[in-house]
Amino acid sequence: MSPIVSVRNLVKTYKTGFQALKGVNLDIAEGEIIALLGPNGAGKTTLISTICGIVHPTSGTVTVGGHDVLTQYRAARTLIGLVPQEITLEPFETPLNTCRLSRGLFGKARDDAHIEKVLRQLSLWDKKDSRIVTLSGGMKRRVLIAKALSHEPRVLFLDEPTAGVDVELRKDMWKVVEDLRASGVTIILTTHYIEEAEAIADRVGMIAKGEILLVQDKAELMAQLGKKQLRIDLLAPLDTLPPDLAGRGLEVTPDGHGLIYTYDTRAERTGITTLLNDLQKAGLHMTDLSTSQSSLEDIFVGLVKENA
Amino acid sequence: MNTQAIRAIYIYEMKRFFRTLLQSFISPVISTSLYFVVFGAAIGSRIDTVEGVSYGTFIVPGLIMLSVMTQATSNASFAIYFPKFIGTIYELLSAPVNFLEITIGYVGAAATKALFIGTVILATAALFVDLHIEHPLAMVAFLVMTCVSFALLGFIIGIWARNFEQLQLIPLLIITPLVFLGGSFYSVTMLPPIWQAITHFNPVLYLISGFRWSFFGMADVPIGLSLMAIALFTGLCVGAIWLIFRTGWRIRQ
């Protein structure tokens, strides 16, 4: 199936000379949730803004639903809903009015039944006629989502939907995203919270300094994360692994004073008990044991360093 | 053409207007009444007639023009400046709309508001002085064209302005003086020859003169010239807006 969003060699250099995007390639499949993870200033917002038409690319192409975002901007943009990072709403307007405006701007005929559905889904129906200035921060953010959904987009961009939002509200937001996915909307969200990517994304893209470092299935990433390493410190150094212990993924550390055993925490048997028994049988004296796990954060930090 | 977008912007903007309807209605009524008390009754009683028309009646077209021009400008400039100021412009920039649709929506609403105020002033004036409109159709046409062209100008000012001070600057420093010096309250023939010549460089003169012609059948400049001036002005504004949206000047980062 062809991707719903396709980004090719996208470069954006701002007038100041700052290169925010350095040749980004990215394909997004219909119906998935992809999280773009990266530190502040990585280019996440520029990437989203370019796809949505707010920023003009310096070079490269972007298509949405097969339509070029520059030459066929009407067809492309009609498919897109954008929830910006900053809460930008007219304070004296009402959620209902502002949603009607959004729907109209995207070329859809007035349909109050649809807007009612969206506002109800986001628990805003009671507040539909309240002035936005009187709503709480979490509600305002949901109004932004409601605006983006009021024109029935097929692709929804959420730019840091939970930045500056407390833990409980963040969980609410994740629930909203889950519900949206269930309704078939493709979701691209940016975040610098790793837990957020873990919690809701199907795929994770890591972006830093205007480049995409990695795009991977979250399940695969999590499989890497599920791996743990057991380090066994030995009293007497070893040159090579005793033959009895071969063939079970053990490695000798370069200095010979330790053994590294990699295992899957989620496997039925980790093999730790057997290993320790065998070590004893082989007559190896252990001085210490420690385990470590690589987190998404470690992978991320490692990647960023590699590319620095 | 995304007509839904034009409709949506227009309705949204008009709703803002209706929320403050009382204020929009009362302030022109009060200011017009004040003008008639001061210029019509107090000063006007010492002036015979201007071009055969009583002074109170003579100032009606100028008075309407003054309000319509300033209202159209400020309404349109605020309408586009405000989304820029609070950031909601992102939606306009990411929507499947072109410059023409955005402009028709905003300028149409601003012009409608100014037209409403112009009509209120005309009705108020009719309470104070005898009004006879020589060319009613031409009067309506001139009024509408002025509303539209000054709303276009206001739209440009709103895009250009970087802060609220600048938003007020052009109307205050340029439009108000041009309107006052464009013969709102006097006939250009009343000026010394040198000032008469200078006044002919004031574009507002042509609009006021044309509008006055539709009331009394006489004007400072030929009616054809007035029509050309307003067409030229409107064309320049539309061209400027097209260029602004094409380049993203002061709209996109």
Side-chain angles (χ1 to χ4, degrees):
Chain A
M1 201 174 69
S2 59
I4 184 127
V5 177
S6 179
V7 178
R8 287 284 164 275
N9 306 315
L10 190 64
V11 174
K12 174 63 190 180
T13 310
Y14 284 106
K15 267 189 200 146
T16 53
F18 175 67
Q19 200 171 25
L21 298 174
K22 301 169 183 166
V24 168
N25 288 292
L26 181 65
D27 281 329
I28 294 160
E30 180 142 28
E32 74 171 332
I33 299 181
I34 182 165
L36 295 173
L37 196 59
N40 290 325
K44 302 187 295 288
T45 301
T46 302
L47 177 58
I48 285 190
S49 300
T50 312
I51 300 172
C52 295
I54 295 172
V55 171
H56 284 312
T58 307
S59 66
T61 57
V62 179
T63 62
V64 178
H67 309 288
D68 187 280
V69 295
L70 290 180
T71 57
Q72 298 161 297
Y73 72 97
R74 281 191 200 265
R77 291 182 186 181
T78 306
L79 304 174
I80 300 176
L82 169 64
V83 181
Q85 189 174 338
E86 308 281 337
I87 293 183
T88 45
L89 290 163
E90 287 199 28
F92 305 114
E93 271 306 334
T94 64
L96 186 61
N97 269 341
T98 191
C99 284
R100 280 182 184 153
L101 172 69
S102 299
R103 187 174 171 84
L105 278 178
F106 282 77
K108 296 272 163 59
R110 184 166 161 175
D111 180 353
D112 285 350
H114 175 74
I115 289 175
E116 178 175 344
K117 195 184 90 190
V118 169
L119 289 175
R120 282 191 190 281
Q121 188 182 5
L122 293 161
S123 317
L124 286 168
W125 185 244
D126 295 344
K127 299 283 182 186
K128 67 179 192 305
D129 295 319
S130 306
R131 296 200 301 175
I132 285 166
V133 69
T134 64
L135 304 183
S136 70
M139 283 180 181
K140 285 181 190 156
R141 210 169 267 281
R142 276 179 284 152
V143 173
L144 284 176
I145 298 179
K147 275 170 76 72
L149 291 175
S150 58
H151 63 269
E152 302 166 65
R154 277 168 63 199
V155 187
L156 184 69
F157 287 88
L158 294 161
D159 197 358
E160 306 219 2
T162 59
V165 165
D166 67 36
V167 178
E168 204 165 320
L169 250 169
R170 189 175 304 167
K171 296 239 162 92
D172 279 357
M173 205 63 76
W174 293 352
K175 174 80 173 52
V176 168
V177 172
E178 272 304 315
D179 291 348
L180 290 178
R181 194 251 289 275
S183 65
V185 180
T186 305
I187 294 165
I188 295 110
L189 69 97
T190 68
T191 179
H192 51 248
Y193 298 115
I194 281 157
E195 318 86 78
E196 186 153 289
E198 282 186 21
I200 52 180
D202 298 318
R203 279 201 303 159
V204 178
M206 293 189 176
I207 178 166
K209 292 186 176 164
E211 283 173 288
I212 293 208
L213 307 176
L214 162 148
V215 181
Q216 205 167 20
D217 258 39
K218 187 183 66 177
E220 280 173 35
L221 266 179
M222 294 314 284
Q224 285 181 26
L225 292 177
K227 296 253 169 32
K228 268 188 113 169
Q229 289 190 326
L230 171 67
R231 185 189 160 94
I232 303 152
D233 288 336
L234 301 170
L235 188 62
L238 280 179
D239 291 335
T240 53
L241 202 63
D244 291 354
L245 297 170
R248 51 174 102 190
L250 261 183
E251 283 170 59
V252 183
T253 57
D255 64 1
H257 273 286
L259 291 170
I260 305 282
Y261 175 62
T262 308
Y263 62 99
D264 190 343
T265 50
R266 291 170 305 181
E268 216 168 291
R269 291 171 165 276
T270 57
I272 292 177
T273 319
T274 324
L275 176 73
L276 294 181
N277 279 333
D278 291 351
L279 286 177
Q280 207 174 11
K281 276 185 207 156
L284 296 173
H285 290 282
M286 296 172 267
T287 58
D288 198 6
L289 291 175
S290 61
T291 64
S292 63
Q293 182 169 26
S294 63
S295 68
L296 199 49
E297 189 142 10
D298 292 335
I299 297 175
F300 183 60
V301 171
L303 279 168
V304 172
K305 271 196 191 138
E306 249 171 59
N307 285 271
Chain B
M1 197 76 157
N2 186 347
T3 48
Q4 291 294 348
I6 298 175
R7 232 177 71 104
I9 296 172
Y10 185 84
I11 292 173
Y12 187 78
E13 285 298 310
M14 289 312 288
K15 275 202 175 133
R16 196 207 305 280
F17 179 62
F18 286 123
R19 270 205 302 267
T20 55
L21 189 63
L22 203 63
Q23 186 189 323
S24 321
F25 184 79
I26 287 177
S27 75
V29 170
I30 291 179
S31 63
T32 311
S33 306
L34 281 174
Y35 274 109
F36 278 113
V37 170
V38 175
F39 288 107
I43 298 174
S45 61
R46 301 183 177 232
I47 302 171
D48 279 351
T49 55
V50 179
E51 317 266 331
V53 181
S54 81
Y55 187 65
T57 309
F58 179 82
I59 61 168
V60 171
L63 206 52
I64 294 173
M65 276 296 189
L66 176 66
S67 293
V68 158
M69 285 172 182
T70 48
Q71 287 290 330
T73 311
S74 68
N75 275 323
S77 63
F78 184 78
I80 191 68
Y81 176 74
F82 196 53
K84 247 179 41 165
F85 176 68
I86 58 171
T88 51
I89 189 120
Y90 82 87
E91 195 172 30
L92 221 45
L93 296 178
S94 62
V97 289
N98 66 17
F99 95 97
L100 200 60
E101 292 147 2
I102 295 175
T103 309
I104 293 174
Y106 281 105
V107 169
T112 308
K113 295 172 197 178
L115 191 63
F116 171 82
I117 288 163
T119 312
V120 169
I121 295 174
L122 186 63
T124 312
L127 300 176
F128 286 89
V129 294
D130 273 341
L131 265 184
H132 171 74
I133 301 166
E134 198 96 348
H135 309 283
L137 276 181
M139 190 277 286
V140 172
F142 261 106
L143 193 58
V144 170
M145 285 189 295
T146 308
C147 289
V148 171
S149 57
F150 276 74
L152 285 168
L153 179 67
F155 195 67
I156 296 170
I157 293 169
I159 292 170
W160 165 80
R162 288 187 197 274
N163 52 50
F164 277 103
E165 198 190 3
Q166 290 184 340
L167 200 62
Q168 309 290 346
L169 208 64
I170 299 265
L172 203 67
L173 288 184
I174 300 179
I175 297 176
T176 310
L178 285 183
V179 175
F180 269 91
L181 302 175
S184 318
F185 301 112
Y186 55 86
S187 168
V188 180
T189 51
M190 293 157 83
L191 293 172
I194 174 78
W195 282 105
Q196 278 195 36
I198 292 173
T199 303
H200 281 85
F201 290 99
N202 180 354
V204 176
L205 168 76
Y206 298 88
L207 305 182
I208 293 178
S209 169
F211 194 49
R212 187 173 290 138
W213 170 84
S214 69
F215 276 79
F216 313 124
M218 50 91 182
D220 290 330
V221 292
I223 183 70
L225 211 56
S226 289
L227 282 172
M228 265 172 58
I230 202 163
L232 184 72
F233 181 54
T234 307
L236 280 177
C237 288
V238 172
I241 293 170
W242 172 77
L243 206 65
I244 284 170
F245 275 91
R246 222 180 84 104
T247 56
W249 182 73
R250 301 232 171 147
I251 296 183
R252 286 173 206 275
Q253 306 98 325

